[in-house]
């Protein structure tokens, strides 16, 4: 039988160990591996592998010894409890061996869990599991995780109290990150909140989310966009001391002001524009950028973009002017442009 959507997610969390088998396939090996780990752990428990109730069979080993899967399914262990025979990275070439083992499966035998790469609808492996009355086939695609999947991941990490805005940030983050990276981020958040009974907030998510730009450059861009000219010189000296390239700084400035312009131009308003941005923007930084977009307005942002593009051309030209001084002068002009 074939499982999709919510039914598949629920089965991964609470599988039926009495089923003969499960095929998990998909183009993204990380997504398939994470689901395989989840379902096997739910089948045999945390001590299952230590109690030798899990038999791992790489596809290459099964090609050399076609009886290995049948032997693993029929073998009796020393410890009581459900058993799993796990066939890794299978292909259609192993379909006859898998089909013979499935046909000979009886209650009390080990459940057969098979992982594979991307399989077409005509795949022999898929047909075995989809046509079997006591087995499931689940495809793992590149769709972002659903809210239910994210809530399950948070629950397993011990995060129960989630602020509504923080959940919105996590949904956006899940769409932008690979599944493995997202799970690591959730684990980082769980450690960050360890011993803290208060609800998870957008600021907590922002503190743990992978950085998309160096913190010092981000601070500099906020100084410029908020016209805090008195702080600009010391921050430039710090960045110059760290070896930041003026062209790199100009590119970051252009990206920041383009984002503000896109937010300001959004038909739903700056808040909707900020929410659409990828990679997503979180917590205090999102609030700052929203205020900046609202304060600048479309006309001044277009003037700012013209100034930045002109500076970029100057930096890339044969001009003998000191590059960092040119960049600093341009940033001062930007900061002064929006002073009220």
């Amino acid at each position: 039988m074939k499982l999709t959507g919510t039914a598949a997610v629920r089965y991964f969390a609470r599988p039926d160990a009495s089923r003969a088998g499960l095929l998990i396939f998909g183009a993204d090996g990380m997504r398939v591996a994470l689901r395989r780990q989840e379902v096997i752990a739910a089948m045999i428990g945390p001590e299952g592998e230590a109690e030798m109730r899990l038999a791992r069979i790489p596809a290459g080993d099964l090609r050399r010894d076609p009886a290995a899967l049948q032997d693993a399914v029929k073998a009796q262990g020393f410890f009581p409890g459900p058993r799993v025979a796990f066939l890794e990275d299978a292909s259609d070439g192993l379909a006859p061996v898998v089909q013979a083992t499935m046909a000979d499966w009886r209650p009390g035998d080990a459940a057969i869990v098979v992982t594979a790469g991307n399989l077409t609808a005509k795949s022999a492996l898929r047909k075995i599991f989809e046509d079997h009355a006591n087995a499931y086939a689940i495809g793992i695609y590149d769709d972002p995780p659903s809210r239910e999947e994210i809530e399950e991941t948070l629950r397993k990490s011990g995060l129960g109290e989630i602020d509504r805005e923080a959940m919105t940030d996590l949904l956006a983050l899940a769409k932008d990150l690979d599944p493995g990276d997202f799970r690591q981020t959730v684990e980082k958040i769980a450690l960050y909140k360890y011993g803290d009974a208060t609800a998870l907030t957008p600021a907590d998510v922002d503190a743990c989310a992978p950085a998309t730009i160096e913190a010092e450059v981000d601070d500099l861009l906020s100084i410029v966009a908020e016209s805090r000219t008195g702080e600009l010189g010391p921050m430039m000296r710090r960045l110059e001391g760290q070896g930041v390239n003026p062209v790199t700084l100009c590119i970051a400035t252009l990206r920041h002001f383009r984002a503000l312009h896109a937010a300001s131009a959004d038909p739903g308003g700056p808040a909707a524009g900020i929410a659409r941005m990828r990679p997503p923007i979180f917590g205090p930084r999102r609030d700052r950028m929203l205020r900046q977009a609202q304060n600048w307005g479309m006309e001044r942002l277009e003037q700012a973009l013209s100034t930045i593009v002109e500076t970029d051309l100057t930096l890339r030209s044969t001009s003998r002017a000191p590059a960092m001084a040119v960049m600093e002068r341009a940033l001062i002009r930007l900061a002064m442009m929006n002073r009220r």
Side-chain angles (χ1 to χ4, degrees), residues 16 29 48 84 94 105-106 140 172 182 184 192 196 199 202 225 254 277 333:
D16 183 356
V84 168
L94 292 173
W105 188 91
R106 298 291 181 270
I140 306 297
F182 178 70
Q184 289 180 349
Y192 182 80
D196 184 354
L254 182 60
M277 289 183 182
R333 286 174 63 193

Side-chain angles (χ1 to χ4, degrees), residues 116-137:
N118 198 26
L119 300 176
T120 66
K122 296 181 179 180
S123 163
L125 267 179
R126 282 184 62 172
K127 287 185 177 298
I128 292 171
F129 287 84
E130 290 178 356
D131 296 344
H132 200 286
N134 195 35
Y136 289 123

Side-chain angles (χ1 to χ4, degrees), residues 1 10-11 63 66-67 71 118-119 138 157 188 199 234 259 269 278 284 287 292 297 299-300 325 334-335:
M1 290 180 283
R10 289 175 179 169
Y11 188 80
R63 293 188 187 96
D71 293 344
N118 198 26
L119 300 176
I138 301 176
S157 298
K188 181 179 177 181
R278 294 293 178 270
D287 296 336
Q292 292 165 14
E299 184 178 350
R300 271 194 292 264
L334 291 173

Side-chain angles (χ1 to χ4, degrees), residues 8-49:
V9 173
R10 289 175 179 169
Y11 188 80
F12 283 130
R14 290 174 288 278
D16 183 356
S18 66
R19 295 284 178 178
L22 170 66
L23 169 66
I24 310 172
F25 64 93
D28 191 326
M30 173 61 76
R31 292 174 188 263
V32 171
L34 289 172
R35 286 305 190 186
R36 180 260 302 168
Q37 291 172 357
E38 179 183 1
V39 76
I40 289 179
M43 282 181 173
I44 63 177
E47 299 300 323
E49 187 166 5

